[in-house]
Amino acid sequence: MQLAPQQDQAVKAVEQWIADPDGPQFFYLAGYAGTGKTTIAIHFGENMNVCYAAFTGKAALMMQSKGCAGASTIHSLIYKLDNPNSPTPRFILNKYDSPINQADLVIIDEVSMVGEELGADLMSFGKRILVLGDPEQLPPIEGPGYFTAGEPDFMLTEIHRQAADNPIIRLSMLIREGGRLERGTYGESRVISRDQVTQRHVVDADQVLVGKNATRRMYNGRLRQILGFTEPAFMLSERVVCLKNNREKGLLNGSLWNVDKVRRQDSDETTMIVSPIDAGMSVNPVLVATHHCWIRGEENNLDWREKKKYQPFDFAYALTVHKAQGSQWNDVCIFDESHVARDDARRWLYTAVTRAAEKVTVVL
C-alpha cells in the first residue's frame, strides 16, 4: 500500500505510540474527509491483529466496504446478551468471549459519537485504541465525545488526489474552506433551489437531513403520507429512530429501527417490537414502550417521573444533522438549515454533506 508523505508521518506517530508501553491507552488520529484515515486503518490491519468498529451499523458497513475486514458496531464488539432465551434482551459486557480480547489494536471510526459510558466500557478491556474522527464535524449535542474532548494526537490535512476528484469531497472542501455552494450538477450530486425540489428528490433519497425539529416533523409527516402510513402514531414497518441510550436493551441514541409488530397502542402510548435496520446493533428484536409526546414534539410537557417509564422513539424518514452524525447513507437529500447552528453553520453543512457516501442533493 502506497502511503502519501503525511499519511506516512501519521503511521510513524501511531507506531511510536504503540511501541511505548507507558503511553496513553488511546491515540486520536483526526483528519478531514478525503485525507485517508481509512487507508491508515487498513495499513495497521495488514500488519497486526486489529478489531475494527464504529458507533453505528451504517458506519461499520462503510468501513467494511473500504477494506476494514470484520468491522462491527462497538456495541456488538463488547456486549453480549445476558440470557439469549429471555423475551426481554439485557446486554452486559462480554468480558471473556469478545473478539477484542485477541486483538493487538482496536480501531474506532466516526469516534465523535462515542459518549462517556460507551467509551469507558470500551477502555475497560485494556486494549490500545486508535480512534479516527473529523474535527470539522459538529460536536455532539450532549457535550464532547469521550475520545475527542482534547486535541488530536495527529491531524491529517492533505486531501488525496483521488478523493479530490469525488464530487462529495469537493463540495465538503469548498464548505470547509469557507466557500459558497453554487447551484448546479457535481457528478451525480447536485445543489438546487427550493423551487426545484420534486417529490422524487425526497422519496428516492436513502435519508433526508434537516436542521430544525419543526422541519423534521413536517417532512416526517409528508413522507409518511406518501408511503401510506395513515395513523398518527407508529405503524407496522415504520422506520424509527431511538432518542436515548439504553445499553441493557442494546438501544443507542440515533440508531435506526424497523417496527416489526405493534403490541398495544392508545392515543398516548405504543408498545412495539423493533429490530435494527443496520446490522450489528442488536442480535434480537427488542420490545419497547414509548410515549407519543416525542413524535408530537411535546416531550417537555411530560413529567420526568412519567418519562422514566418510556424509551423515546420518533419517526426517522427525516433526521436532524445532529442525530445523523456517525452514520452514512449512499444517497442523501439535505435541506440547508445551517443557520440553526449559528456560529457552527459551516460545520453543520460540512457534516451534512459528508453523511453521503455516493450522491448528495443539497437544497438551498
Side-chain angles (χ1 to χ4, degrees):
M1 182 182 294
Q2 187 67 36
L3 296 174
Q6 192 181 53
Q7 289 178 321
D8 190 56
Q9 293 171 20
V11 166
K12 286 182 170 60
V14 174
E15 287 174 342
Q16 186 176 2
W17 160 70
I18 292 172
D20 180 5
D22 299 319
Q25 190 178 345
F26 74 89
F27 187 103
Y28 175 22
L29 175 61
Y32 306 133
T35 54
K37 298 185 294 295
T38 305
T39 300
I40 292 172
I42 295 168
H43 169 85
F44 282 100
E46 291 175 344
N47 294 283
M48 56 200 307
N49 185 4
V50 171
C51 274
Y52 296 107
F55 182 77
T56 67
K58 281 285 187 188
L61 291 173
M62 195 61 60
M63 290 182 80
Q64 290 181 28
S65 71
K66 293 177 180 178
C68 296
S72 67
T73 60
I74 301 170
H75 192 275
S76 63
L77 179 65
I78 66 172
Y79 300 119
K80 68 174 182 178
L81 276 172
D82 186 25
N83 180 358
N85 298 317
S86 171
T88 305
R90 178 175 176 269
F91 285 88
I92 58 173
L93 273 177
N94 190 8
K95 274 293 188 182
Y96 302 107
D97 299 323
S98 170
I100 202 173
N101 291 321
Q102 280 71 52
D104 301 315
L105 179 69
V106 179
I107 298 182
I108 305 296
D109 197 13
E110 293 281 3
V111 74
S112 64
M113 292 302 294
V114 179
E116 186 172 351
E117 182 181 37
L118 192 61
D121 282 350
L122 188 57
M123 293 278 280
S124 72
F125 284 83
K127 294 291 181 175
R128 289 291 182 95
I129 306 170
L130 173 62
V131 299
L132 313 176
D134 186 340
E136 278 296 297
Q137 289 188 25
L138 284 169
I141 293 175
E142 299 172 358
Y146 182 87
F147 294 105
T148 56
E151 291 297 312
D153 295 295
F154 194 96
M155 178 73 196
L156 292 164
T157 58
E158 295 176 3
I159 307 295
H160 281 285
R161 181 176 53 80
Q162 308 97 299
D165 292 336
N166 181 311
I168 293 170
I169 298 297
R170 288 210 312 273
L171 289 170
S172 73
M173 288 171 63
L174 181 62
I175 296 164
R176 179 168 56 78
E177 293 166 0
R180 178 180 175 82
L181 292 189
E182 299 293 340
R183 294 184 182 94
T185 302
Y186 302 78
E188 289 191 76
S189 298
R190 59 204 161 217
V191 179
I192 60 177
S193 62
R194 289 183 181 262
D195 59 8
Q196 293 177 294
V197 179
T198 67
Q199 182 172 298
R200 292 258 60 90
H201 287 139
V202 180
V203 173
D204 288 350
D206 297 319
Q207 188 62 56
V208 175
L209 300 181
V210 300
K212 296 187 291 188
N213 279 314
T215 309
R216 178 182 57 79
R217 282 191 288 272
M218 178 181 70
Y219 277 106
N220 273 327
R222 287 184 184 177
L223 284 163
R224 291 186 74 242
Q225 283 183 331
I226 292 168
L227 295 169
F229 296 109
T230 54
E231 297 298 323
F234 303 105
M235 296 177 66
L236 183 68
S237 299
E238 294 251 41
R239 186 167 72 185
V240 296
V241 58
C242 174
L243 302 178
K244 186 179 179 182
N245 289 335
N246 183 328
R247 192 190 80 182
E248 288 193 349
K249 286 196 170 188
L251 299 169
L252 295 176
N253 186 3
S255 56
L256 302 185
W257 301 75
N258 180 76
V259 178
D260 292 346
K261 186 174 183 179
V262 176
R263 281 277 187 88
R264 291 185 298 276
Q265 191 170 79
D266 59 29
S267 59
D268 288 322
E269 301 175 22
T270 296
T271 300
M272 57 189 179
I273 296 174
V274 296
S275 60
I277 288 175
D278 300 329
M281 299 303 293
S282 170
V283 292
N284 281 346
V286 181
L287 178 67
V288 295
T290 189
H291 197 281
H292 300 163
C293 65
W294 282 283
I295 59 178
R296 297 170 185 155
E298 299 173 352
E299 59 270 24
N300 291 334
N301 297 337
L302 191 66
D303 185 86
W304 66 270
R305 286 161 292 207
E306 281 293 301
K307 275 186 186 176
K308 289 174 68 175
K309 300 176 184 177
Y310 302 104
Q311 181 68 41
F313 272 84
D314 202 346
F315 304 118
Y317 308 100
L319 297 172
T320 62
V321 171
H322 269 109
K323 194 62 72 176
Q325 285 193 94
S327 285
Q328 273 194 312
W329 297 268
N330 289 336
D331 185 355
V332 175
C333 182
I334 301 162
F335 287 85
D336 181 11
E337 294 185 314
S338 52
H339 61 277
V340 301
R342 299 185 180 178
D343 293 342
D344 280 331
R346 177 182 52 77
R347 294 175 73 182
W348 184 97
L349 190 54
Y350 175 91
T351 302
V353 166
T354 53
R355 298 310 87 207
E358 296 179 2
K359 183 168 70 171
V360 64
T361 299
V362 182
V363 183
L364 298 177

